[in-house]
């Protein structure tokens, strides 16, 4: 048992290190190439901080523990809004734009609802994964086209030294290695603990593994909050939730289709959508999430975890 807790701790440390390297490398690479802060948050930083969830979900799928694989994504999305957004709002109130409220937030709710429809049967196959990946390509295409990111990219590539681009690209690949190793160690330890204590693997995936793989989001957003980079914060949180569904649950079932227990799935997905709706309503009200709203989000998340373990 002590060994298993050690594995979980080691996995979280490796995930944290990999997430930090990923965020730093991806952010600097994006800035070097002239990508806007909101697009950085919604794409590179969001995918970078979602990489632990991808690695953990793939590892759980190959180990045959579908409840951990699916629960990790759902739990991470809930943690991103309840825990991460709640804590960050307590540190520094967040402001947003009308466009973000009317475009990115509704899209996150759309893909969450789609997952609810496709995941109720307790199985995600290659067709489901293909649908998610197709939507991911559309999302990125319209995002880049709207912000003219591709034209900015072409212009800045001519001005910046190739050595810096190679350096930050290498940092991304190093971080992927750390994240993959950390995810395997974390999943192994978490599943062993679940079996020793008789805790359902679904609950372990929704809480221990989900929070562990959400640490990069938490750390990166807290750092961004300290620097008052609101666009990166909201882009990272909402972008990570979109990436968790479209990228992770797109790639994983294509590589290795997996099944999971139907018990509790409807409830868990409903709670995920509830947190998403609550965040949307809070942002729509005065286009701001202050400390009171952050306290409400964090309180709801603590109550949710308490409910799971009861």
């Amino acid at each position: 048992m002590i060994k298993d807790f050690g594995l979980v701790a080691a996995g979280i440390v490796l995930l944290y290190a990999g997430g930090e390297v990923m965020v730093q490398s991806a952010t600097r690479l994006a800035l070097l190439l002239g990508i806007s802060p909101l697009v950085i948050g919604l794409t590179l930083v969001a995918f970078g901080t979602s990489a632990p969830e991808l690695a953990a979900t793939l590892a759980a799928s190959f180990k045959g523990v579908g409840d951990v694989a699916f629960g990790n994504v759902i739990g991470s999305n809930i943690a991103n809004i309840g825990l991460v957004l709640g804590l960050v709002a307590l540190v520094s109130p967040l402001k947003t734009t009308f466009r973000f409220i009317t475009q990115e937030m509704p899209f996150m709710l759309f893909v969450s609802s789609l997952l609810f429809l496709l995941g109720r049967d307790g199985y995600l196959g290659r067709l489901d994964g293909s649908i998610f990946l197709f939507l991911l390509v559309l999302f990125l295409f319209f995002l880049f086209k709207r912000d003219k990111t591709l034209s900015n990219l072409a212009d800045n590539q001519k001005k910046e030294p190739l050595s810096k681009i190679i350096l930050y690209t290498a940092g991304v690949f190093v971080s992927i290695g750390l994240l993959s190793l950390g995810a395997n160690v974390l999943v192994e330890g978490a599943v062993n603990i679940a079996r020793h204590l008789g805790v359902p693997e679904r609950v372990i995936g929704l809480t221990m593994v989900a929070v562990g793989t959400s640490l990069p989001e938490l750390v990166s957003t807290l750092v961004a909050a300290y620097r008052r980079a609101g666009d990166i914060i909201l882009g990272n949180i909402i972008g990570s939730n979109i990436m968790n569904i479209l990228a992770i649950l797109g790639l994983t079932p294509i590589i290795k289709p997996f099944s999971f227990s139907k018990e509790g799935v409807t409830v868990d997905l409903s709670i995920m959508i509830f947190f998403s709706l609550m965040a949307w309503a809070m942002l729509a009200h005065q286009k701001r999430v202050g400390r009171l709203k952050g306290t409400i989000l964090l309180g709801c998340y603590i109550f949710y975890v308490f409910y799971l373990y009861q």
Side-chain angles (χ1 to χ4, degrees):
M1 181 73 81
I2 294 176
K3 177 185 175 183
D4 296 325
F5 276 106
L7 287 173
V8 171
I12 290 173
V13 170
L14 286 168
L15 286 169
Y16 170 77
E20 273 294 293
V21 175
M22 172 69 82
V23 170
Q24 293 293 331
S25 300
T27 302
R28 289 176 183 176
L29 181 63
L31 289 171
L32 197 67
L33 298 176
I35 300 175
S36 70
L38 181 60
V39 174
I40 292 172
L42 284 166
T43 55
L44 288 176
V45 176
F47 186 78
T49 55
S50 290
E53 283 93 338
L54 173 59
T57 301
L58 276 171
S61 177
F62 277 105
K63 291 176 186 291
V65 282
D67 283 346
V68 173
F70 192 75
N72 173 40
V73 172
I74 304 308
S76 292
N77 278 16
I78 295 171
N80 282 345
I81 293 177
L83 177 63
V84 178
L85 183 57
L87 278 176
V88 170
L90 286 175
V91 173
S92 177
L94 302 172
K95 294 180 180 180
T96 189
T97 62
F98 179 77
R99 190 181 72 181
F100 188 82
I101 295 169
T102 56
Q103 294 184 25
E104 279 77 22
M105 290 296 294
F107 186 75
M108 181 189 70
L109 284 163
F110 167 71
V111 297
S112 299
S113 301
L114 181 62
L115 177 60
F116 184 89
L117 293 174
L118 297 179
R120 285 188 303 168
D121 60 354
Y123 178 77
L124 286 179
R126 291 188 171 89
L127 177 59
D128 301 317
S130 299
I131 292 171
F132 287 140
L133 285 182
F134 175 72
L135 288 173
L136 176 61
V137 172
L138 283 181
F139 172 68
L140 294 176
F141 174 76
F142 284 111
L143 183 66
F144 287 165
K145 184 178 180 181
R146 184 191 68 192
D147 287 5
K148 298 180 180 179
T149 303
L150 296 179
S151 59
N152 292 340
L153 189 67
D155 292 338
N156 281 275
Q157 275 182 322
K158 299 174 183 177
K159 303 175 185 177
E160 301 298 340
L162 183 62
S163 58
K164 285 187 178 182
I165 296 174
I166 293 174
L167 176 64
Y168 294 136
T169 303
V172 172
F173 282 103
V174 169
S175 68
I176 290 172
L178 289 171
L179 293 167
S180 299
L181 177 60
N184 274 288
V185 171
L186 177 62
V187 170
E188 182 179 349
V191 171
N192 290 340
I193 291 170
R195 289 170 179 164
H196 281 307
L197 299 177
V199 176
E201 291 175 352
R202 163 181 159 263
V203 175
I204 294 295
L206 285 165
T207 54
M208 186 181 297
V209 179
V211 172
T213 55
S214 289
L215 282 177
E217 282 93 343
L218 179 59
V219 173
S220 61
T221 50
L222 284 173
V223 171
Y226 178 74
R227 296 173 181 172
R228 300 191 180 279
D231 282 344
I232 290 181
I233 293 171
L234 288 172
N236 182 18
I237 294 171
I238 303 308
S240 291
N241 280 19
I242 293 171
M243 293 290 179
N244 283 350
I245 296 173
L246 297 186
I248 296 174
L249 294 182
L251 286 171
T252 301
I254 286 178
I255 297 171
K256 180 80 167 72
F258 63 95
S259 57
F260 42 90
S261 173
K262 293 181 183 179
E263 180 189 356
V265 166
T266 301
V267 174
D268 297 329
L269 287 170
S270 298
I271 291 172
M272 181 186 75
I273 292 173
F274 167 74
F275 270 89
S276 299
L277 284 169
M278 186 163 52
W280 189 22
M282 287 181 173
L283 284 168
H285 177 249
Q286 298 180 340
K287 292 185 287 188
R288 186 176 182 272
V289 178
R291 290 187 173 88
L292 175 60
K293 294 175 182 177
T295 302
I296 293 171
L297 286 171
L298 188 59
C300 288
Y301 182 74
I302 292 171
F303 179 78
Y304 166 68
V305 173
F306 179 76
Y307 152 76
L308 283 177
Y309 279 93
Q310 287 300 307

